[in-house]
């Protein structure tokens, strides 16, 4: 019995030790689980921070790339404007001799007579010009090629004009019906090369271009069809053109008297 009791006592101690060991292992496993959870949370936080940093870096890179693209687009536009400006400057330099020659055509008013404005046209371009169109414009400022249609809107009053198909070198006179003294004069014409020009009321020269551009401008100012204006007839002096019958009779009598005076007369006292 004593041996049995000792065996049972020793068996109970073993159970207690096993229980304690199980508890220790359980606590250790729980601690390990907590530690692993904490490490996993830390790793998740690190991963989140890394992902956020990468996202911020990607966003920053994208912004820089977008800015570069915008700068490149702006630079392309500037280069395009510069190219157009250079082309326009090159074209202006090429047109300079012709524009200088075109500046030699001058038109001005001389007087207002019988409801018509008398014009003087002086062509010193060195060549005959064609399609000369002189317009009287009621304006207070500078009239340009672009602003001209605004003075003659479609459906409004048609412009008063003087038109000749050909104008030789030198002076020419003309008249413009319906215009009043003090009107601003502008003219359009083509040089010998067929290039059309506009001369404004301040003497500025602008290139119109081809005949198609000229006709388009005419449509814009309601002049679809041009009629050639007559040139004034030069009047002879009144003394030579009209002579009264009385004056002619007096001159005839005077000539007859002079002839009679020149004829020899018979001597006084000469026998017959």
């Amino acid at each position: 019995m004593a041996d049995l009791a000792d065996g049972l006592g020793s068996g109970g101690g073993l159970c207690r030790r096993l229980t304690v060991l199980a508890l220790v292992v359980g606590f250790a496993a729980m601690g390990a689980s907590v530690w692993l959870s904490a490490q996993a949370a830390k790793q998740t936080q690190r991963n989140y921070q890394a992902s956020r940093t990468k996202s911020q870096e990607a966003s920053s890179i994208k912004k820089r790339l977008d800015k570069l693209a915008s700068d490149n687009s702006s630079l392309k536009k500037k280069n395009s404007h510069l190219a157009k400006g250079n082309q326009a400057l090159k074209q202006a330099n090429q047109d300079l001799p012709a524009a200088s020659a075109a500046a030699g055509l001058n038109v001005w008013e001389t007087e207002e007579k019988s409801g018509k404005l008398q014009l003087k046209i002086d062509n010193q371009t060195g060549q005959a010009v064609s399609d000369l169109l002189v317009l009287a414009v009621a304006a207070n400022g500078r009239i340009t090629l672009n602003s001209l249609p605004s003075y003659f809107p479609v459906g409004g009053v048609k412009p008063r004009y003087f038109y000749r198909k050909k104008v030789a070198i030198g002076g020419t006179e003309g008249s413009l019906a319906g215009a009043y003294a003090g009107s601003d004069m502008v003219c359009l014409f083509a040089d010998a090369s067929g290039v059309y020009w506009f001369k404004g009321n301040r003497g500025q020269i602008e290139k119109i271009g081809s005949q198609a551009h000229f006709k388009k401008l005419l449509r814009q100012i309601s002049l679809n069809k041009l009629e050639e204006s007559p040139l004034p007839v030069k009047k002879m002096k009144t003394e030579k053109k009209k002579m009264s019958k009385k004056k002619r009779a007096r001159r005839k009598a005077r000539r007859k008297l002079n002839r009679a005076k020149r004829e020899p007369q018979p001597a006084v006292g000469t026998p017959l």
Side-chain angles (χ1 to χ4, degrees), residues 131-138 143-163 186-189 196-199 208 212-226:
D131 284 334
L132 172 65
L133 177 65
V134 181
L135 299 173
V137 186
I143 305 170
T144 65
L145 181 60
N146 289 332
S147 68
L148 182 62
S150 65
Y151 294 96
F152 306 107
V154 176
V157 179
K158 289 188 177 182
R160 304 294 183 178
Y161 68 88
F162 172 83
Y163 172 70
V186 300
C187 57
L188 303 84
F189 59 95
Y196 283 77
W197 301 90
F198 168 85
K199 189 167 187 178
I208 299 175
H213 292 100
F214 174 67
K215 290 184 176 180
K216 179 181 179 181
L217 180 61
L218 294 183
R219 290 193 296 270
Q220 290 176 342
I221 59 175
S222 303
L223 283 179
N224 297 325
K225 184 178 180 181
L226 292 174

Side-chain angles (χ1 to χ4, degrees), residues 52-71:
R52 185 177 180 182
T53 301
K54 288 181 180 179
S55 177
Q56 290 175 346
E57 290 177 352
S59 177
S60 177
I61 291 172
K62 186 178 182 301
K63 288 181 180 180
R64 288 197 295 269
L65 291 176
D66 290 342
K67 188 175 185 303
L68 286 174
S70 177
D71 291 343

Side-chain angles (χ1 to χ4, degrees), residues 118-130:
Q118 305 303 310
L119 304 177
K120 179 69 176 179
I121 303 163
D122 186 24
N123 179 12
Q124 297 299 328
T125 62
Q127 57 190 359
V129 300
S130 57

Side-chain angles (χ1 to χ4, degrees), residues 250-261 263:
R250 286 178 182 177
R251 290 183 180 181
K252 186 176 180 180
R254 194 179 296 114
R255 287 195 297 269
K256 186 177 180 180
L257 180 60
N258 290 335
R259 285 197 302 269
K261 288 181 179 180
E263 291 179 357

Side-chain angles (χ1 to χ4, degrees), residues 196-207:
Y196 283 77
W197 301 90
F198 168 85
K199 189 167 187 178
N201 60 331
R202 298 294 184 266
Q204 75 275 16
I205 295 292
E206 297 181 60
K207 184 179 180 180

Side-chain angles (χ1 to χ4, degrees), residues 20-32:
V20 170
L21 180 60
L23 291 173
V24 170
V25 172
F27 283 125
M30 185 181 296

